[in-house]
Amino acid sequence: MLVPIKWMSQYVDINTDEKTLADKLTLTGSHVDSIINNEREVENVITGKILEVVKHPNADKLVVTQIDINDGEPLQIITGAKNVKKGDVVPVALEGAKLPGGVRIKKTKFRGLPSYGMMCSYEELGFEDKVIPKEFRDGILILPEDTEIGKDVKEVVGLNGKTLDIEITFNRPDCLNIVGMARETAATLNTEFKFPNIEIKNETENIKDYLNGVEIENEELCSRFYAKVIKDVKIEPSPLWMQRALMDAGMRPINNIVDVTNYVMLELGQPLHAYDLEKLNGRKLIARRAKTGEKVITIDQNERELSESMLVIADEENPACIAGVMGGFNTEISESTKFMVLESANFNPKSVRETSKKIGLRSEASARNEKPMHYKMAEFASQRACQLIEMIGAGVVVGGYMEAGKSEYIPSIVTMRPYRAAELLGVEIPVEDMLKSLNSLEIKSTFDGEQISSEIPFFRADIVEEADLIEEVGRMYGFENIVSQPLQGKIKKGRKSLRREVEDEIKNIATGIGLYELTTYSFISPKSYNNICASEDSELRKYIRILNPLGEDYSSMRTTLMANMMDVIQRNSFRGVEGAKLFEVGNVFIPLQLPITEPPMEKSKLCIGLYGKYDFYDMKGVVEAILSRFGIPISLKPIKDNQTFHPGRTAGMYLNDECIGIYGEVSPEVLDNYGLNHSVYLAEIDIEKIVECKDTNWKYEPLPKYPAMTRDIAVKVKDEVLVGDMEETIKTINPYIIESVKLFDVYRGEHIENGYKSTAFSVTYRNKERTLKDKEVESIHKKILEALETKYGATLR
């Protein structure tokens, strides 16, 4: 929130510079993000009155003006601005004047006529476009007609001062306004706080002659509705001082009535809304739930469809406002408005927040209504707005008011034990200092010898228990003054779970072999399952739909990590990254039943993605490197029915006949869905199975004493015979003597008929107790050939 120090100074004595103020507020809990300097680099710019405006004789789009600057002869200035006329008071940059951005003003000629300066717009004086009133966005700044001539424009327009940009936490809506921050400042600086003196001097007639009542149908959504009526409304620009206060606080001035409601909202934190009384059917306002299918055109001129969960302010026939979010176009005030109703109400924060999100509207008002505000403020804000309307001559306040809902307030009492404060804060604070701190925050507190009793003001809804009072004492004492102490207690030393240890080890292994780790959202788009070509009956499509998603792209809890991995690969490919090795360890969410009636099962998975200069065997090597570190012997089987993968280049990882994962080349159809023109390799492994089956009780043996003998064997088999099966068969012939079996060649081509392949293995033999003899090796080698012939129809090449 932006807090202009000039504005806040109206309610509190600030006896220090802005840097010290910002530091002290931060230390007492109101974090100041930055100090904005409102000083503009403006020199030699004064106010002047236009005496004459004539068309330039040599240019259709220029006019020649004569301006009185209270310095003798009028000053001739030529301009192309279309919003100036005789009698206007404007900022005049004289010869040699300096403007923001280092601009210097010099005498110049326009089509043969001299111009001795320049009239200035808000933009030329250094204001951002977002706060410039619409009537001045493309023209010269027109000052009030009673502005003194020849005055320095910095004083007239207020081009000075500092603004604090303060981060307000959700639990402190009382600070989301200038008065609230003034109260905090007074307590921080130990100075006097002055609440605005609210007094309406000239109320006339009776509200009952104009308004037929206000009503609340659902007090759960609207706890108080307070209404005042203003007659003889005159819509015109608000005074310059009010416009500048709003601009420094980051809001654009609109007109006097809207500016008053915004001014009070920023000042007191209570949003207000004004209705054209003559546009209300039945001259009555009702806070009720919207009807199914009911629609309203909001002031941004968009039609919004409403639902029964939303609260509206309606007349006797139609909705006139989406409560707490945005007003209706058909009942808004306009230049023809003569009678208006000023609404000040207190709404259910949850209802406002949900409504704002559903219709996609968020404003300064809804941001405040989304937070808990007390119904007592509704009356103060309404009275303050009426006072300002009367003060600036925007209308005449009608006597009386109409209200519905709660109005009486009985303060809650919260107690605090001084010794408990010392235990939690770690420092002994005298009771007198505690009382002083609490009372400075308008929390009336007394001490009875044992405990402090505090009467909680209506604007501090966040204080509900002893710990809240202790926090108030601590922050006013200054957390920086509390010496850090070591924690004490009998807490047992914690440790990571076995699964977490395994996950950490996987990450260490993966990063050690050159993979980059990803962390992605646990919720994905339902379209992602189509993108990875999951079949209609796939278990992956049994996902949990989120009731209140951030958007359609984040509306389902993921059942696989592969969709996220493909998204990352697509994004990096499109941004020119030609290749990468990636991995993610994360949870997937498996519902026990749909619709869900209990929490889903969360399973930890490892997903690996390779693209670029890598192939199937690179992926195989990565997978084996990780699993081997956990002592998990897997067997591979071809997978042909998974539509995410290429049917001839995909392997399932099996452990005790149970599939614990899959890896392979992504299918061309999936690549097309992601707009990729290069190969991608994915793997997904169940970490729960790694945890369950890992065997890291490594047994170490001395280096062999006796030499090994190696024999190669090449056989021809049918294409469908798996090399892995053949390796296992070879090993079983004599596990004691056969030390290893390695495939070193697969050949198809000349001299090998179609449908067959030649496979060549290197078999290493070793006896750990003595040197092998050739006859022994030949005997085992012969048995290998016989087993391969019998089981797979293999023939020796």
Side-chain angles (χ1 to χ4, degrees):
M1 184 184 75
L2 298 180
V3 179
I5 295 178
K6 283 193 300 184
W7 190 352
M8 186 168 66
S9 297
Q10 299 175 30
Y11 319 113
V12 60
D13 294 327
I14 299 177
N15 54 12
T16 186
D17 63 274
E18 61 276 356
K19 177 65 170 62
T20 304
L21 172 62
D23 290 342
K24 288 188 174 183
L25 285 174
T26 298
L27 290 173
T28 55
S30 302
H31 180 70
V32 179
D33 282 333
S34 62
I35 302 173
I36 300 170
N37 189 355
N38 298 325
E39 296 281 351
R40 306 300 199 277
E41 297 180 9
V42 174
E43 296 177 4
N44 210 17
V45 180
I46 62 175
T47 55
K49 185 172 185 177
I50 300 177
L51 303 177
E52 182 181 79
V53 179
V54 297
K55 184 179 177 183
H56 194 295
N58 303 319
D60 292 337
K61 296 184 178 180
L62 299 178
V63 294
V64 181
T65 66
Q66 302 297 324
I67 301 180
D68 178 12
I69 59 171
N70 199 23
D71 188 31
E73 291 294 319
L75 195 68
Q76 178 170 292
I77 292 180
I78 299 174
T79 181
K82 296 179 172 56
N83 69 321
V84 294
K85 64 183 185 302
K86 181 180 178 180
D88 284 343
V89 179
V90 297
V92 180
L94 306 176
E95 283 187 69
K98 182 181 179 181
L99 297 178
V103 176
R104 289 284 185 179
I105 303 302
K106 301 178 182 178
K107 173 187 173 183
T108 187
K109 282 189 176 183
F110 291 95
R111 296 291 184 93
L113 294 182
S115 181
Y116 299 94
M118 182 181 76
M119 289 180 279
C120 299
S121 66
Y122 265 123
E123 186 175 7
E124 287 159 341
L125 292 176
F127 287 86
E128 293 184 17
D129 181 71
K130 67 178 183 179
V131 300
I132 298 175
K134 290 183 178 179
E135 64 266 28
F136 298 136
R137 288 180 69 178
D138 299 313
I140 301 302
L141 166 59
I142 309 300
L143 298 169
E145 59 183 15
D146 59 351
T147 302
E148 186 178 347
I149 306 302
K151 295 288 289 183
D152 189 337
V153 77
K154 293 180 71 171
E155 298 178 15
V156 174
V157 182
L159 304 181
N160 51 31
K162 303 290 194 300
T163 295
L164 302 181
D165 187 357
I166 303 178
E167 178 186 348
I168 307 298
T169 54
F170 184 86
N171 67 314
R172 292 300 305 275
D174 61 296
C175 288
L176 204 58
N177 55 82
I178 307 296
V179 165
M181 283 311 307
R183 184 182 290 110
E184 287 289 306
T185 299
T188 299
L189 301 180
N190 195 25
T191 58
E192 183 183 358
F193 167 69
K194 297 165 286 188
F195 193 81
N197 182 27
I198 301 175
E199 180 184 359
I200 304 172
K201 296 181 179 179
N202 298 306
E203 286 185 305
T204 182
E205 302 183 61
N206 192 300
I207 191 173
K208 294 180 180 178
D209 297 330
Y210 294 88
L211 189 63
N212 291 331
V214 296
E215 180 182 334
I216 298 175
E217 289 188 359
N218 191 319
E219 288 200 14
E220 179 186 348
L221 300 184
C222 178
S223 57
R224 192 180 193 193
F225 196 116
Y226 189 93
K228 291 282 290 182
V229 169
I230 314 296
K231 70 172 188 174
D232 299 335
V233 175
K234 289 183 267 186
I235 304 297
E236 55 190 8
S238 57
L240 184 60
W241 63 266
M242 182 175 288
Q243 292 190 38
R244 286 293 294 111
L246 293 174
M247 294 166 75
D248 284 347
M251 296 193 75
R252 186 199 308 277
I254 306 296
N255 60 51
N256 51 1
I257 298 298
V258 175
D259 290 355
V260 163
T261 60
N262 285 335
Y263 185 93
V264 173
M265 177 183 68
L266 294 176
E267 181 185 49
L268 299 179
Q270 171 68 49
L272 304 168
H273 186 65
Y275 304 85
D276 188 321
L277 178 60
E278 295 180 302
K279 295 177 182 177
L280 296 175
N281 294 307
R283 294 199 171 194
K284 185 176 183 179
L285 289 173
I286 305 167
R288 63 169 173 81
R289 288 185 182 272
K291 300 172 184 176
T292 302
E294 201 166 32
K295 297 179 180 179
V296 63
I297 300 174
T298 47
I299 56 177
D300 58 1
Q301 299 187 37
N302 288 319
E303 186 176 69
R304 314 279 179 176
E305 185 168 345
L306 309 174
S307 66
E308 288 186 354
S309 64
M310 300 177 184
L311 182 72
V312 297
I313 306 299
D315 56 25
E316 289 190 336
E317 296 182 13
N318 304 305
C321 172
I322 303 176
V325 180
M326 184 172 282
F329 175 73
N330 295 328
T331 57
E332 73 169 339
I333 61 170
S334 62
E335 292 184 359
S336 62
T337 299
K338 297 301 177 187
F339 302 92
M340 61 169 258
V341 180
L342 186 65
E343 163 220 303
S344 184
N346 186 257
F347 305 114
N348 182 295
K350 182 173 181 289
S351 171
V352 174
R353 187 164 55 252
E354 291 177 348
T355 299
S356 175
K357 186 173 181 180
K358 286 178 181 177
I359 65 177
L361 279 175
R362 187 168 172 81
S363 62
E364 290 281 354
S366 67
R368 286 165 171 79
N369 282 316
E370 287 175 2
K371 299 172 178 63
M373 294 190 299
H374 201 275
Y375 54 82
K376 282 289 288 183
M377 187 55 73
E379 179 179 350
F380 292 135
S382 181
Q383 295 288 335
R384 176 63 167 163
C386 290
Q387 177 190 23
L388 292 173
I389 288 172
E390 182 182 74
M391 182 190 303
I392 66 175
V396 176
V397 181
V398 173
Y401 60 88
M402 289 190 175
E403 66 175 341
K406 301 176 182 178
S407 58
E408 295 298 323
Y409 172 64
I410 300 175
S412 60
I413 303 297
V414 177
T415 61
M416 178 181 69
R417 297 160 293 174
Y419 77 86
R420 184 57 179 159
E423 289 178 349
L424 289 182
L425 295 175
V427 63
E428 292 280 352
I429 302 175
V431 173
E432 295 75 15
D433 291 347
M434 293 185 183
L435 293 173
K436 182 179 178 181
S437 295
L438 293 172
N439 284 303
S440 70
L441 294 167
E442 296 190 29
I443 303 172
K444 296 179 182 179
S445 303
T446 57
F447 182 57
D448 62 6
E450 293 185 1
Q451 62 182 14
I452 293 174
S453 296
S454 297
E455 186 178 296
I456 309 304
F458 69 88
F459 52 82
R460 290 304 302 272
D462 59 305
I463 300 178
V464 295
E465 60 184 6
E466 182 181 47
D468 298 325
L469 285 178
I470 294 174
E471 181 183 4
E472 296 300 300
V473 169
R475 71 184 184 88
M476 298 313 297
Y477 176 78
F479 291 125
E480 76 282 5
N481 296 320
I482 300 176
V483 179
S484 298
Q485 299 287 343
L487 292 176
Q488 296 181 356
K490 298 179 181 179
I491 301 174
K492 294 182 179 180
K493 182 179 179 180
R495 55 159 290 175
K496 292 183 178 179
S497 65
L498 179 59
R499 192 191 80 176
R500 185 60 58 84
E501 289 179 345
V502 169
E503 289 178 352
D504 289 347
E505 181 66 13
I506 288 173
K507 293 177 182 180
N508 288 335
I509 299 168
T511 53
I513 56 179
L515 275 66
Y516 289 94
E517 185 178 3
L518 309 177
T519 300
T520 60
Y521 286 123
S522 296
F523 23 82
I524 62 176
S525 169
K527 296 177 183 177
S528 298
Y529 304 102
N530 296 331
N531 292 339
I532 63 172
C533 296
S535 60
E536 291 300 323
D537 59 348
S538 171
E539 291 295 316
L540 299 182
R541 290 187 180 273
K542 296 177 181 179
Y543 56 82
I544 300 168
R545 183 170 289 277
I546 300 171
L547 293 178
N548 57 338
L550 297 174
E552 181 62 23
D553 288 344
Y554 304 96
S555 61
S556 76
M557 299 301 294
R558 65 186 178 188
T559 56
T560 176
L561 303 183
M562 292 189 292
N564 299 65
M565 181 63 71
M566 288 301 299
D567 287 338
V568 173
I569 290 174
Q570 178 196 52
R571 188 178 306 115
N572 281 275
S573 295
F574 286 179
R575 294 180 180 177
V577 180
E578 296 180 354
K581 296 193 293 182
L582 310 167
F583 80 96
E584 178 177 12
V585 171
N587 286 354
V588 297
F589 302 84
I590 312 299
L592 300 178
Q593 61 182 29
L594 289 174
I596 61 170
T597 57
E598 54 185 310
M601 177 172 59
E602 295 186 35
K603 298 186 71 174
S604 181
K605 296 249 182 169
L606 164 65
C607 185
I608 303 168
L610 309 180
Y611 77 97
K613 59 183 179 181
Y614 307 106
D615 60 19
F616 178 89
Y617 295 103
D618 289 308
M619 176 62 81
K620 182 174 183 288
V622 170
V623 170
E624 289 181 348
I626 292 173
L627 294 180
S628 65
R629 289 284 291 272
F630 293 99
I632 297 179
I634 59 167
S635 58
L636 302 177
K637 296 182 181 180
I639 301 291
K640 297 183 178 180
D641 58 352
N642 190 315
Q643 298 178 26
T644 302
F645 293 93
H646 194 294
R649 302 170 190 172
T650 307
M653 293 170 266
Y654 285 81
L655 181 63
N656 300 328
D657 295 326
E658 182 180 6
C659 185
I660 67 169
I662 187 172
Y663 70 85
E665 183 178 339
V666 173
S667 73
E669 186 177 352
V670 172
L671 295 179
D672 288 343
N673 291 342
Y674 285 92
L676 300 174
N677 57 7
H678 54 72
S679 297
V680 175
Y681 299 88
L682 292 183
E684 189 168 68
I685 304 172
D686 190 341
I687 293 179
E688 309 284 351
K689 293 299 178 183
I690 297 178
V691 174
E692 180 182 330
C693 301
K694 81 182 189 75
D695 181 9
T696 53
N697 293 318
W698 308 111
K699 295 180 180 179
Y700 296 91
E701 296 182 351
L703 292 173
K705 296 180 180 180
Y706 302 99
M709 299 180 67
T710 302
R711 295 284 189 275
D712 293 343
I713 181 170
V715 293
K716 182 178 69 175
V717 294
K718 291 183 179 180
D719 271 337
E720 58 265 25
V721 176
L722 300 179
V723 169
D725 291 344
M726 296 172 68
E727 286 184 348
E728 291 300 318
T729 298
I730 293 172
K731 291 177 181 177
T732 59
I733 298 300
N734 192 327
Y736 180 75
I737 300 298
I738 297 175
E739 187 175 75
S740 67
V741 180
K742 293 182 180 179
L743 175 76
F744 67 86
D745 183 57
V746 176
Y747 171 75
R748 296 179 181 86
E750 190 176 355
H751 306 306
I752 301 294
E753 59 264 42
N754 290 336
Y756 284 81
K757 62 185 176 185
S758 171
T759 58
F761 300 92
S762 177
V763 184
T764 300
Y765 304 89
R766 189 195 305 270
N767 190 315
K768 298 176 183 179
E769 298 177 353
R770 60 181 175 80
T771 301
L772 283 172
K773 297 179 180 180
D774 286 341
K775 287 184 179 180
E776 292 178 275
V777 173
E778 290 297 333
S779 174
I780 298 172
H781 208 65
K782 184 178 179 181
K783 290 179 181 179
I784 290 173
L785 286 172
E786 291 173 353
L788 294 178
E789 181 181 4
T790 302
K791 197 165 185 178
Y792 305 109
T795 58
L796 186 65
R797 284 194 67 202

